Amino acid sequence: MNIQETHRALLSRLLPDSKPDDLAVRQGQFHNVVIGSDRVVCLPRTQAAAARLPQRAVALRALAGLDLGFRTPEPLLQGGCHGTDVPFLVLSRIPGEPLAADALNDAQVFGTVATQYATLLAGLARVGTDETVRAVLPQAPQDQWRRFADSVRAELFPLMCHSGRLRAERELAALGSLPHLTRAVVHGDLGAENVLWEWKHGLPHLAGVLDWDDVTLSDPAEDLAAIDASYGHGLLERVLALGSWSNNGLTARIATIRSTFALQQALYAIHDGDEGELADGLADYR
């Protein structure tokens, strides 16, 4: 039974202006997202994701009040998080679509996208110094990478083959060189699927950014690593050239963080009880 059938009554109540058969469903790592005409409903896939809904709503409200130059989902209604009903979060819908895989083959599109990503990241760095924002968003813990490495060794190593453990150990060892930075707002999952664009006069314009579950005050290298993973090193280099970055080992930090993405996915998945995401994250370690 699909999501529309399982939650037909709930979705009819939350999305009254949309016909049930017209609803689109997007499956993310943490939520099933049902897309209506002007709003979306986030249905947590696990109990752990459901427990994070209230904090997610708080962060989204803070982001919605900022002048970032692009839209973020605005919480409209929340329910079921502390009772026996189905937990959900209703958000405003942002128009636009992720870029097609071949969009950057056009040189003008490539330059336009790079410029807008540089502007996006500059905006997140700017609001990261706003005391109102800093009072609401969580800061990355000083020992976050040590704790991550310890958790990978304890929880994921038993699921890996010998060569997989050796590879993971090399990737984890490099994390010890990362500094503790908390002066920028970091999306935490700035992959291509979470960035929406609208096309005007043959060029894409940044419409909004979705899925702020992992937002923290942290190191922009995390978001830059996601751009690298999604679009390749060429776009990353152009974004870095356009931004006013003080290097201080930035490119090395980007490479170090990117190398842990599969392990991050697998660790999230094992905590959330998501067997599919776990298998995908560990595919190169088994």
Side-chain angles (χ1 to χ4, degrees):
M1 186 176 293
N2 61 31
I3 293 295
Q4 294 99 315
E5 294 172 348
T6 303
H7 300 294
R8 179 173 289 270
L10 175 65
L11 294 173
S12 296
R13 176 166 60 87
L14 298 178
L15 301 172
D17 296 328
S18 302
K19 296 180 181 179
D21 293 338
D22 293 338
L23 299 175
V25 178
R26 174 173 174 251
Q27 181 174 301
Q29 184 172 353
F30 305 114
H31 306 92
N32 289 310
V33 180
V34 183
I35 304 171
S37 58
D38 62 349
R39 57 180 60 187
V40 302
V41 178
C42 297
L43 299 167
R45 297 179 60 195
T46 65
Q47 291 184 343
R52 294 193 294 266
L53 276 186
Q55 179 56 41
R56 185 184 190 208
V58 169
L60 287 173
R61 289 190 185 96
L63 292 167
L66 301 175
D67 181 17
L68 291 171
F70 57 87
R71 296 174 62 184
T72 59
E74 182 177 353
L76 303 175
L77 183 66
Q78 181 181 334
C81 295
H82 303 293
T84 57
D85 295 335
V86 176
F88 64 83
L89 182 62
V90 181
L91 304 172
S92 60
R93 179 179 177 179
I94 297 175
E97 298 291 339
L99 285 177
D102 60 352
L104 296 182
N105 292 340
D106 181 281
Q108 193 173 5
V109 171
F110 183 94
T112 298
V113 170
T115 298
Q116 292 180 76
Y117 262 116
T119 301
L120 182 162
L121 292 167
L124 293 181
R126 172 177 51 81
V127 300
T129 63
D130 184 311
E131 290 305 321
T132 302
V133 174
R134 297 185 67 80
V136 174
L137 298 185
Q139 290 193 22
Q142 187 162 4
D143 62 347
Q144 66 166 332
W145 294 116
R146 180 191 60 77
R147 292 195 298 177
F148 169 73
D150 289 347
S151 296
V152 168
R153 293 184 180 104
E155 300 177 62
L156 298 181
F157 271 29
L159 307 178
M160 299 178 184
C161 65
H162 177 68
S163 62
R165 287 192 292 272
L166 292 177
R167 170 182 171 172
E169 192 60 65
R170 290 192 298 270
E171 294 164 347
L172 297 176
L175 294 174
S177 65
L178 294 177
H180 183 232
L181 303 174
T182 62
R183 297 302 295 174
V185 173
V186 171
H187 179 277
D189 188 14
L190 201 63
E193 70 280 1
N194 288 331
V195 183
L196 303 183
W197 305 80
E198 292 183 299
W199 288 79
K200 300 176 183 178
H201 307 296
L203 291 174
H205 294 264
L206 180 61
V209 180
L210 308 176
D211 291 355
W212 293 82
D213 293 68
D214 294 324
V215 63
T216 57
L217 297 164
S218 190
D219 184 352
E222 297 179 38
D223 284 343
L224 288 160
I227 292 172
D228 189 15
S230 290
Y231 301 106
H233 204 63
L235 187 72
L236 172 66
E237 290 183 333
R238 179 72 67 87
V239 172
L240 290 174
L242 291 167
S244 55
W245 307 99
S246 55
N247 195 296
N248 293 330
L250 177 60
T251 54
R253 301 202 311 272
I254 293 169
T256 296
I257 293 169
R258 180 182 173 180
S259 71
T260 68
F261 278 177
L263 294 174
Q264 290 186 46
Q265 175 185 331
L267 192 62
Y268 264 126
I270 202 169
H271 291 168
D272 282 356
D274 191 325
E275 291 295 332
E277 288 290 329
L278 176 63
D280 183 62
L282 289 181
D284 292 333
Y285 297 87
R286 287 178 158 169

